Amino acid sequence: MSKSTKTVKSQARQERAAALLRQQQAAERRRNIMVVGAVVVAMALIVGVLFFINASRDSSDDIDAAPAGASEWGLTIGDADAPHEVVIYEDFLCSYCGQLERESGKDLNRLAEAGKVQVEYRPFNLLDNEYSIGAANAFAVLLEESGPEVAKKFHDLVFEDQPSESSGLPGSDWLLEKAVEAGADEDAVKAGIEGLEKQEWVDGATKAAGDAGVNSTPIILLDGEVFQDGRTIEEMTENLVAELE
């Protein structure tokens, strides 16, 4: 075999070895990326659960709130003579509040209709942004102009279609659409929703929540005591409903 032939074969082997090494390195990078991605997702889930638990417990020891049906800053469903009462403090933009409503709303409505619980929803402006203020204002407008049934339907619809805190938040036009969808007369509520005519109500509800010791959402009170039985919203809802059944 000539020297030139040996050189060519040697170069070919080196090139194949280099190509194999590059493939191995690329595969290793892909594995590393997948591992890092899995760790990030797992950490995000853990942080989310811990955030929910900590947020719910921030106010747990010092809440002194009026019982269901005894506040001017909310909407009550169910019989005052029911054996249990539930109070829920919420912000219309709080994602955990939205999850709580979606998990618990139907059951609480059912139990209230069955005479097993009186429930009072107390929205306020915790997150201090235009949407939280605007949605609470619209809720108060409907309470006065359209009545509690329409206000409750609005409450449910707004949480059902809750916007994301990380996206562009809708304004008064969207809130007005939800109000009309809930059964409000547009002419009767348009000015109040667009002009924030119930801003003082929102401020009053927010102050009352703060005075009661509420500094996070959602806060659930069962028979006057903070309810925290569960590590997640789903578990809390299941356990709450079991207590009320």
Side-chain angles (χ1 to χ4, degrees), residues 145-225:
E145 298 293 339
S146 307
E149 290 186 7
V150 173
K152 177 60 166 59
K153 181 63 175 176
F154 170 84
H155 166 277
D156 297 350
L157 287 171
V158 168
F159 275 128
E160 181 180 320
D161 297 330
Q162 185 182 47
S164 169
E165 295 179 55
S166 61
S167 63
L169 296 174
S172 59
D173 289 347
W174 186 84
L175 293 170
L176 181 59
E177 289 177 6
K178 291 300 176 187
V180 173
E181 184 179 349
D185 179 84
E186 182 172 351
D187 291 337
V189 301
K190 181 180 174 67
I193 292 175
E194 293 181 345
L196 292 178
E197 290 185 357
K198 289 297 182 180
Q199 175 77 60
E200 290 186 6
W201 187 97
V202 178
D203 293 342
T206 303
K207 183 178 185 303
D211 290 346
V214 176
N215 56 28
S216 63
T217 54
I219 292 293
I220 305 169
L221 304 179
L222 171 60
D223 298 331
E225 300 293 330

Side-chain angles (χ1 to χ4, degrees), residues 69-198:
S71 169
E72 60 182 299
W73 313 110
L75 179 153
T76 304
I77 62 172
D79 194 331
D81 294 327
H84 294 288
E85 65 171 52
V86 168
V87 173
I88 299 177
Y89 285 93
E90 56 195 2
D91 183 302
F92 279 115
L93 188 57
C94 164
S95 59
Y96 291 111
C97 298
Q99 187 181 356
L100 176 64
E101 169 56 30
R102 290 187 290 273
E103 292 287 339
S104 68
K106 290 182 179 179
D107 282 320
L108 291 180
N109 286 340
R110 172 178 60 81
L111 292 166
E113 290 176 0
K116 294 186 176 183
V117 64
Q118 184 179 50
V119 183
E120 183 170 348
Y121 296 93
R122 296 178 183 171
F124 69 105
N125 173 32
L126 173 72
L127 299 178
D128 196 22
N129 60 77
E130 290 184 2
Y131 179 83
S132 295
I133 296 170
N137 170 81
F139 173 83
V141 169
L142 294 183
L143 268 178
E144 181 173 294
E145 298 293 339
S146 307
E149 290 186 7
V150 173
K152 177 60 166 59
K153 181 63 175 176
F154 170 84
H155 166 277
D156 297 350
L157 287 171
V158 168
F159 275 128
E160 181 180 320
D161 297 330
Q162 185 182 47
S164 169
E165 295 179 55
S166 61
S167 63
L169 296 174
S172 59
D173 289 347
W174 186 84
L175 293 170
L176 181 59
E177 289 177 6
K178 291 300 176 187
V180 173
E181 184 179 349
D185 179 84
E186 182 172 351
D187 291 337
V189 301
K190 181 180 174 67
I193 292 175
E194 293 181 345
L196 292 178
E197 290 185 357
K198 289 297 182 180

Side-chain angles (χ1 to χ4, degrees), residues 3 5 13 36 38 50 69 103 127 136 141 157 185 205 222 228 233 245:
K3 183 177 181 180
T5 301
R13 286 196 296 271
V36 171
L50 291 177
E103 292 287 339
L127 299 178
V141 169
L157 287 171
D185 179 84
L222 171 60
Q228 296 178 331
I233 289 288
E245 288 283 9

